[in-house]
Amino acid sequence: MTPEPPSVLVVDDVEANLVAIRGVLDGVGCNVVEARSGNEALRLLLRRKFVALLLDVQMPQMDGFEVAGLVRSHSATRDLPILFLTAKHDTEDDVLRGYGIGAVDFLFKPISPVILRSKVRVFLDLYEGRNNVEQALAELQVAQSQLVQSAKMAALGELVAGIAHEINNPLAFVTSHLATARQNLDLAAPVIESCSSAEVTVGWTKALDRLREMGTGLSRIANLVLQLRTFSRLDEGVRKQIEVRECIDSVLMILGHRLGERIQVTLELAGPDLIECYPGPLNSALLNLMTNAIDAITGPGTIVIRTSTKADWFRLSITDDGVGIPDELKDRIIEPFFTTKPVGKGTGLGLSITYSIAKRHGGQLEIDSERGRGTTITLTFPLDLGASVRRA
Ligand SMILES: Nc1ncnc2c1ncn2[C@@H]1O[C@H](COP(=O)(O)OP(=O)(O)O)[C@@H](O)[C@H]1O
Ligand SMILES: [Mg+2]
């Protein structure tokens, strides 16, 4: 689909002048829209966008200067370039007045076709340049926000890695001291067991019980630390083999407080145990998809995480039985900044980042959803990442 050419508005009360200008601008690459009075021009200007306004100075009722003044005073048309077309050769005052109102240029009748055409071309070039700049700016803003979001994820990763490291050191010596304490207590066991004091034997049994519980607590902490480290993956940029299960568990651990008793998570892992991927980004992708699934479930609900392979591609899907996505929004949800969540809750970046992560793996994001029934979002990428990079 080619976009419609930009339009130029020509305002003149004399029909013959309009016809002449239309002829001159034929083939310049713009639509020529005609107005026969200032009022008609203003109506058109408010209704659609123009690249430039060619304005006759002398018109009955409202003259060109008045029209220009109104155009300049309205926020939607303030920046519209105005080119005055005037029949008076000698009134310097008029020309100064016109520039004062904000005219970009004057052309004197009879108008030279070559000059008019080249001036209009300049306006068209300016317009196109401005459009390009605006588009580049919008793209930059999107890229910047994604970067900020990725930087946040990376900072979170670093923080988590730091905490895991700090916990790990005391954990290691407490674990080892616990083992020493146990060995030493075992040495004393025969003596204590033969002791006749009930108080001592009951206390002894209790101490052994407590030690066992401490061991259980410590292994829970150790497991937590391991999952925190898995989540943080400081090796973001490197392609690596990872255990899929570890990656899923670490994300579930991070989201544990949001899942609570309310949401049941089931795993159906039919895919390979080990996959090659960019571990940090893959964690972020899974975290984003899981967060969305949790947000979509209003009451109690279920999330199923599935892995499988299909034609040498790895598939990771998250299915929720939440609110679903209305058909008319399906095309939009990947757009950066598109969110249906309240301000402060949604950034609208989760899926666009997840999409770029899929792309980075040479893969895709599939969305399947039914309003009121639930949503499945599947991240797929080739099992042999090297091959996909070589192909790309
Ligand atoms: N699992 C899902 N169920 C229902 N709607 C979803 C789901 N995942 C995403 N969406 C819709 O897509 C929008 C964009 O998601 P996302 O890019 O992650 O941004 P955010 O979560 O910040 O809104 C969400 O606001 C929501 O409307
Ligand atoms: Mg989200």
Side-chain angles (χ1 to χ4, degrees):
M1 202 177 75
T2 46
E4 227 185 80
S7 303
V8 170
L9 180 61
V10 186
V11 193
D12 203 310
D13 57 313
V14 180
E15 186 67 30
N17 288 343
L18 290 173
V19 173
I21 289 175
R22 176 178 285 281
V24 168
L25 292 182
D26 189 35
V28 170
C30 62
N31 266 333
V32 178
V33 178
E34 296 164 1
R36 284 161 190 80
S37 70
N39 272 326
E40 193 188 347
L42 291 171
R43 265 200 307 278
L44 285 165
L45 282 169
L46 291 181
R47 221 177 296 145
R48 52 188 282 194
K49 225 174 134 83
F50 291 95
V51 173
L53 177 60
L54 309 189
L55 194 53
D56 182 28
V57 172
Q58 284 182 314
M59 293 187 290
Q61 289 154 12
M62 200 191 294
D63 71 16
F65 295 137
E66 279 175 80
V67 177
L70 288 169
V71 167
R72 283 285 171 266
S73 67
H74 201 285
S75 63
T77 52
R78 185 164 295 145
D79 299 325
L80 181 69
I82 300 175
L83 181 59
F84 278 118
L85 310 173
T86 177
K88 292 186 192 167
H89 285 258
D90 47 5
T91 54
E92 205 186 340
D93 277 358
D94 273 353
V95 173
L96 289 178
R97 190 176 158 212
Y99 282 125
I101 293 169
V104 172
D105 212 343
F106 271 86
L107 277 184
F108 298 102
K109 296 176 184 176
I111 285 161
S112 146
V114 177
I115 293 180
L116 179 60
R117 269 203 294 271
S118 77
K119 288 200 191 278
V120 167
R121 275 201 197 100
V122 171
F123 289 136
L124 291 174
D125 286 349
L126 277 175
Y127 178 78
E128 196 189 331
R130 188 174 169 159
N131 268 355
N132 290 343
V133 169
E134 273 169 11
Q135 202 182 323
L137 184 67
E139 278 165 18
L140 263 178
Q141 279 167 339
V142 167
Q144 191 203 23
S145 307
Q146 288 191 342
L147 266 178
V148 169
Q149 188 77 1
S150 313
K152 264 198 227 159
M153 293 295 291
L156 179 69
E158 237 169 276
L159 179 72
V160 166
I163 293 172
H165 181 75
E166 289 305 321
I167 297 177
N168 219 23
N169 288 338
L171 177 70
F173 74 72
V174 174
T175 308
S176 121
H177 289 353
L178 184 70
T180 315
R182 254 207 208 116
Q183 279 162 12
N184 286 309
L185 286 177
D186 281 347
L187 285 179
V191 182
I192 303 285
E193 271 152 19
S194 64
C195 173
S196 55
S197 159
E199 203 183 346
V200 170
T201 45
V202 168
W204 173 257
T205 316
K206 195 169 175 181
L208 286 183
D209 272 357
R210 294 294 183 270
L211 275 184
R212 220 184 354 265
E213 280 167 24
M214 281 159 76
T216 313
L218 284 177
S219 58
R220 259 196 232 156
I221 297 177
N223 194 25
L224 184 76
V225 168
L226 184 71
Q227 287 179 330
L228 287 176
R229 294 175 96 158
T230 309
F231 174 78
S232 66
R233 303 265 191 199
L234 287 172
D235 43 37
E236 269 233 346
V238 200
R239 219 164 60 205
K240 254 173 80 171
Q241 281 241 322
I242 60 144
E243 292 221 23
V244 178
R245 181 62 198 253
E246 253 181 33
C247 165
I248 294 173
D249 284 346
S250 76
V251 170
L252 289 179
M253 195 266 306
I254 296 276
L255 291 174
H257 67 289
R258 293 210 55 207
L259 294 161
E261 300 283 292
R262 184 169 76 92
I263 298 171
Q264 204 63 42
V265 178
T266 319
L267 306 187
E268 293 178 14
L269 310 182
D273 296 337
L274 291 172
I275 56 156
E276 203 195 356
C277 68
Y278 295 95
L282 188 69
N283 268 338
S284 306
L286 185 58
L287 186 70
N288 283 330
L289 296 179
M290 281 297 293
T291 308
N292 283 344
I294 294 171
D295 288 343
I297 298 174
T298 46
T302 314
I303 296 175
V304 187
I305 304 177
R306 290 190 180 85
T307 65
S308 61
T309 50
K310 192 169 156 190
D312 291 337
W313 277 49
F314 176 68
R315 298 174 64 81
L316 171 67
S317 70
I318 313 297
T319 302
D320 66 69
D321 57 0
V323 293
I325 305 165
D327 279 341
E328 64 274 19
L329 296 187
K330 279 184 190 154
D331 287 342
R332 304 204 49 205
I333 56 167
I334 289 183
E335 278 173 27
F337 304 119
F338 179 84
T339 180
T340 55
K341 294 169 194 173
V343 180
K345 184 137 197 284
T347 57
L349 287 170
L351 283 180
S352 75
I353 289 174
T354 307
Y355 178 77
S356 14
I357 292 169
K359 288 282 142 198
R360 179 157 177 205
H361 286 82
Q364 278 163 9
L365 207 58
E366 293 170 12
I367 294 161
D368 181 15
S369 181
E370 201 179 322
R371 192 176 197 160
R373 307 212 50 174
T375 303
T376 296
I377 302 202
T378 310
L379 176 68
T380 73
F381 54 87
L383 284 167
D384 183 358
L385 283 189
S388 82
V389 172
R390 283 193 295 275
R391 270 197 306 274

